């Protein structure tokens, strides 16, 4: 019995997914729904979903770029590459953090994040790419 119910439910869902939207709107009107209000709510919901998606996507890109930059700085510190280290020291001086971050060898990911926070990550990545190539 349960299997039959599932098949009926799936068939109804499949019908509504493939039917012309006009038929659905007519059916809703017959049931007393205000289509204009529903369209407006659906449009608002869709805009909110798109905005949230873009925000999440931008945050993920920013976090990925941040991880790449941190990796480049850590690699430069380990291999003692002058130009990226000079860039990091410049950022430390700009933020007036030189007392707090004197030992570059001991910088953690979080400390490097703190140093580069507020900087344009794309510009910083371009600068590091130019220095390491």
């Amino acid at each position: 019995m349960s299997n039959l119910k599932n098949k009926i439910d799936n068939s109804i869902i499949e019908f509504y997914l493939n039917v012309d939207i006009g038929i659905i709107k007519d059916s809703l009107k017959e049931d007393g729904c205000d289509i204009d209000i529903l369209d407006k709510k659906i449009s608002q919901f869709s805009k909110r979903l798109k905005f949230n998606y873009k925000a999440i996507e931008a945050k993920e890109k920013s976090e990925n770029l941040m991880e790449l930059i941190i990796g480049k700085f850590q690699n430069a510190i380990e291999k003692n590459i002058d130009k990226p280290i000079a860039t990091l020291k410049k950022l430390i001086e700009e933020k007036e953090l030189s007392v707090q971050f004197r030992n570059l060898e001991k910088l953690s990911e979080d400390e490097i994040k703190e140093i580069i926070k507020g900087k344009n990550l794309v510009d910083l990545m371009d600068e590091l790419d130019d220095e390491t190539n």
Side-chain angles (χ1 to χ4, degrees), residues 89-127:
K89 286 181 179 178
K90 185 178 85 180
L91 291 172
I92 291 170
E93 289 171 8
E94 285 175 6
K95 288 196 169 199
E96 299 176 355
L97 301 169
S98 56
V99 174
Q100 186 178 356
F101 299 117
R102 279 182 281 182
N103 276 337
L104 293 181
E105 300 81 29
K106 296 181 181 180
L107 286 178
S108 69
E109 283 187 30
D110 289 336
E111 290 170 330
I112 294 174
K113 257 186 209 179
E114 184 64 31
I115 293 167
I116 62 178
K117 190 183 341 178
K119 299 304 276 181
N120 184 322
L121 297 180
V122 174
D123 291 344
L124 189 55
M125 186 66 179
D126 288 343
E127 187 177 334

Side-chain angles (χ1 to χ4, degrees), residues 35-109:
I35 299 302
D36 294 331
I37 291 174
L38 288 176
D39 279 343
K40 186 177 179 181
K41 286 182 180 182
I42 290 170
S43 177
Q44 289 171 340
F45 180 70
S46 176
K47 287 177 185 175
R48 194 166 53 242
L49 279 178
K50 287 176 185 176
F51 176 80
N52 286 337
Y53 174 76
K54 287 179 182 178
I56 290 169
E57 190 176 49
K59 182 180 177 189
E60 286 175 355
K61 283 181 181 178
S62 178
E63 288 172 353
N64 290 340
L65 192 53
M66 177 75 79
E67 292 302 316
L68 281 172
I69 292 170
I70 290 169
K72 285 187 177 276
F73 277 133
Q74 287 177 327
N75 186 41
I77 291 168
E78 288 171 12
K79 294 182 178 181
N80 202 19
I81 303 171
D82 291 334
K83 288 183 180 180
I85 291 174
T87 300
L88 186 58
K89 286 181 179 178
K90 185 178 85 180
L91 291 172
I92 291 170
E93 289 171 8
E94 285 175 6
K95 288 196 169 199
E96 299 176 355
L97 301 169
S98 56
V99 174
Q100 186 178 356
F101 299 117
R102 279 182 281 182
N103 276 337
L104 293 181
E105 300 81 29
K106 296 181 181 180
L107 286 178
S108 69
E109 283 187 30

Side-chain angles (χ1 to χ4, degrees), residues 19-34:
V19 75
D20 180 43
I21 192 71
I23 294 173
I24 295 173
K25 285 183 177 184
D26 290 342
S27 174
L28 289 171
K29 279 183 187 177
E30 288 174 9
D31 289 342
C33 294
D34 188 341

